[in-house]
Amino acid sequence: MTTQNQNTHQQTVFAMVVGEHSGDTLGAGLITSLRQTHPHAKFIGIGGPKMQALGFESLFAMDELSVMGLVEVLGRIRRLLHVRKTLTDFFITNKPDVFIGIDAPDFNIGLELKLKVQGIKTVHYVSPSVWAWREKRIFKIAKATDMVLALLPFEKAFYDKHNVPCTFVGHPLADDIPMQSDKVLARDKLGLAQDKKILALMPGSRGGELSRLLEDFFESAKQLQAQDSELLFVAPMISEQRADQFNALKAELAPDLVVEIVLNQTQEVMAASDCLLTASGTVTLEAALIKRPMVICYKFSPITFFLGRRFVKLKWFSLPNLLTNKSLVPELLQKDVCPENIVPLVKERLYQDQSQLNDSFTAIHQQLKCDASKQAAKAVLDVLSSKLLSNNK
């Protein structure tokens, strides 16, 4: 898939596939860094709005891959298989110089395996959680990829133990988020009161997460407000669709609760808040980097939880706890997600000194601040160089 540009130089083609908003952010950072050395490169595959704004050509909508949980995936399996077969055929016919699967491991690892067999160099950006469950997947990853790019330092140690090529690149969020997030400035920008306590309600970016968590979040918020009538609630939403779902559930479950919804300014809402009541996921790392206390909750569908718990080997499921290897922030899972547990944990973080927690968050920030997009681009170009060397032999 190497074509000619107007200057008659060979045009390098980078294929990429992302499956959700966090991957879109990683992809956009990677494209920006790769363009510094390959300004005329072509980027094609599946990407989100941030990648497309940089000239990425998306063959399918990113939302096609935004599915989580065993049961949820089964409902979309035929469509997912169609998308993957179409991409496989396209890339085998129009060979890119490098394929980069960004997260979405259940989709991308299989695609990478098919492409690598055809002689296409493959990189997987964001290590699957092989250190947490289904550890034997590492052997499939080794067959499918020429390089894994890990965001977290303990992941590289795991790959090194199994002699699988891996580069620790740090986390782009640690590069983008300042060491000190100004609460006063964030509240001023969002038009929020400076003299009130603010709790951010963050039930996740997927529809299933909202439907499973919001009843407990709303009931907890009502109890907290009954004890502090001055307490304010803000909910950052990533789209109008999620905001509409949030409002519909609030009208049903907590019609009298006042919650200010803010679209597409999640980090600003976190910076403006005193505490976060949040779903698990990358957002918990953002919260740690913004240096805000949090209570983390997660509920899987009952069948997904029943099937998955037999294979998971973790003490913790949130990134702040995994990175520090201790119970730094409280986690509530499945039936433990209830107001009886949530309310006292939130109160402690709203009204008690959290300076010691900030020190731990700062240490995490310093560890992950490595200019990740630049390091990832360098690793991708190293894989590309090895391809060129082998072609010239």
Side-chain angles (χ1 to χ4, degrees):
M1 199 171 175
T2 302
T3 60
Q4 300 291 316
N5 67 18
Q6 292 178 339
N7 297 321
T8 71
H9 294 114
Q10 285 191 330
Q11 183 183 37
T12 305
V13 178
F14 296 95
M16 297 181 177
V17 169
V18 309
E20 57 182 31
H21 293 277
S22 59
D24 185 33
T25 300
L26 293 174
L30 182 56
I31 289 170
T32 300
S33 291
L34 287 170
R35 283 207 190 280
Q36 292 176 10
T37 53
H38 291 67
H40 302 293
K42 179 174 182 175
F43 297 87
I44 188 169
I46 296 180
K50 292 179 182 178
M51 294 166 69
Q52 291 177 50
L54 296 171
F56 184 91
E57 183 181 342
S58 195
L59 303 174
F60 290 92
M62 181 182 70
D63 290 347
E64 294 267 21
L65 309 187
S66 298
V67 188
M68 190 172 183
L70 299 173
V71 177
E72 294 81 356
V73 169
L74 287 174
R76 296 277 312 283
I77 193 70
R78 289 183 65 183
R79 178 62 182 172
L80 289 168
L81 290 173
H82 167 74
V83 172
R84 188 158 72 181
K85 184 179 187 309
T86 303
L87 287 174
T88 302
D89 293 345
F90 179 84
F91 289 136
I92 288 173
T93 303
N94 306 279
K95 287 191 174 182
D97 293 285
V98 180
F99 175 84
I100 305 147
I102 302 179
D103 211 355
D106 291 330
F107 185 91
N108 275 326
I109 298 295
L111 177 56
E112 289 157 13
L113 184 61
K114 292 177 185 296
L115 298 182
K116 189 178 178 185
V117 167
Q118 296 295 320
I120 297 169
K121 289 289 184 179
T122 61
V123 175
H124 192 80
Y125 191 3
V126 184
S127 167
S129 302
V130 285
W131 35 268
W133 69 301
R134 289 167 59 199
E135 188 173 318
K136 289 185 179 178
R137 285 181 297 168
I138 196 164
F139 302 114
K140 183 176 181 180
I141 294 168
K143 290 180 182 176
T145 65
D146 293 287
M147 178 62 67
V148 176
L149 307 182
L151 306 187
L152 310 172
F154 62 79
E155 293 175 327
K156 176 168 170 53
F158 181 84
Y159 281 89
D160 289 348
K161 187 176 80 172
H162 289 85
N163 297 312
V164 177
C166 178
T167 301
F168 167 59
V169 300
H171 205 296
L173 285 171
D175 301 318
D176 297 339
I177 294 171
M179 275 290 173
Q180 302 295 330
S181 292
D182 192 320
K183 186 182 293 184
V184 172
L185 195 64
R187 291 189 179 194
D188 191 48
K189 181 178 178 181
L190 296 172
L192 298 171
Q194 296 288 353
D195 59 343
K196 311 287 187 188
K197 290 286 186 182
I198 294 178
L199 175 66
L201 302 178
M202 302 174 60
S205 59
R206 299 180 180 88
E209 292 173 331
L210 266 70
S211 65
R212 286 189 286 272
L213 289 175
L214 271 179
E215 182 174 0
D216 293 294
F217 278 24
F218 285 143
E219 183 56 37
S220 299
K222 287 191 288 185
Q223 292 183 24
L224 287 160
Q225 193 165 63
Q227 298 172 47
D228 180 358
S229 61
E230 298 288 298
L231 181 61
L232 302 180
F233 302 99
V234 183
M237 292 286 130
I238 63 161
S239 67
E240 291 279 3
Q241 182 184 10
R242 290 287 81 81
D244 290 345
Q245 182 186 5
F246 184 97
N247 280 326
L249 286 166
K250 194 180 86 64
E252 176 189 341
L253 300 167
D256 297 327
L257 187 71
V258 176
V259 182
E260 179 155 350
I261 291 179
V262 178
L263 282 176
N264 298 316
Q265 297 182 84
T266 300
Q267 289 185 9
E268 289 85 348
V269 169
M270 287 194 278
S273 300
D274 295 288
C275 179
L276 318 173
L277 178 56
T278 180
S280 186
T282 305
V283 70
T284 64
L285 178 60
E286 285 183 274
L289 297 171
I290 292 169
K291 322 292 187 303
R292 296 296 180 266
M294 67 195 89
V295 175
I296 302 168
C297 302
Y298 209 78
K299 280 186 175 182
F300 295 94
S301 70
I303 296 175
T304 297
F305 181 69
F306 174 77
L307 294 174
R309 67 179 179 175
R310 297 170 56 195
F311 304 103
V312 176
K313 304 183 300 179
L314 292 176
K315 288 190 218 174
W316 304 287
F317 60 83
S318 70
L319 285 170
N321 292 345
L322 288 167
L323 281 162
T324 55
N325 197 31
K326 63 181 181 182
S327 187
L328 187 66
V329 294
E331 301 176 348
L332 299 172
L333 183 63
Q334 221 62 11
K335 62 180 174 55
D336 291 332
V337 178
C338 60
E340 292 79 9
N341 292 330
I342 292 171
V343 170
L345 290 170
V346 169
K347 283 175 66 178
E348 182 182 343
R349 279 144 193 84
L350 274 175
Y351 303 111
Q352 295 182 20
D353 177 49
Q354 300 295 312
S355 55
Q356 192 172 352
L357 184 64
N358 275 359
D359 293 341
S360 297
F361 286 161
T362 299
I364 290 174
H365 203 150
Q366 291 167 340
Q367 183 183 38
L368 299 182
K369 188 177 174 66
C370 303
D371 202 349
S373 292
K374 182 177 178 180
Q375 297 298 330
K378 180 180 181 300
V380 168
L381 294 175
D382 286 345
V383 170
L384 179 60
S385 296
S386 71
K387 174 200 171 185
L388 296 174
L389 284 172
S390 62
N391 287 347
N392 290 331
K393 284 182 180 178

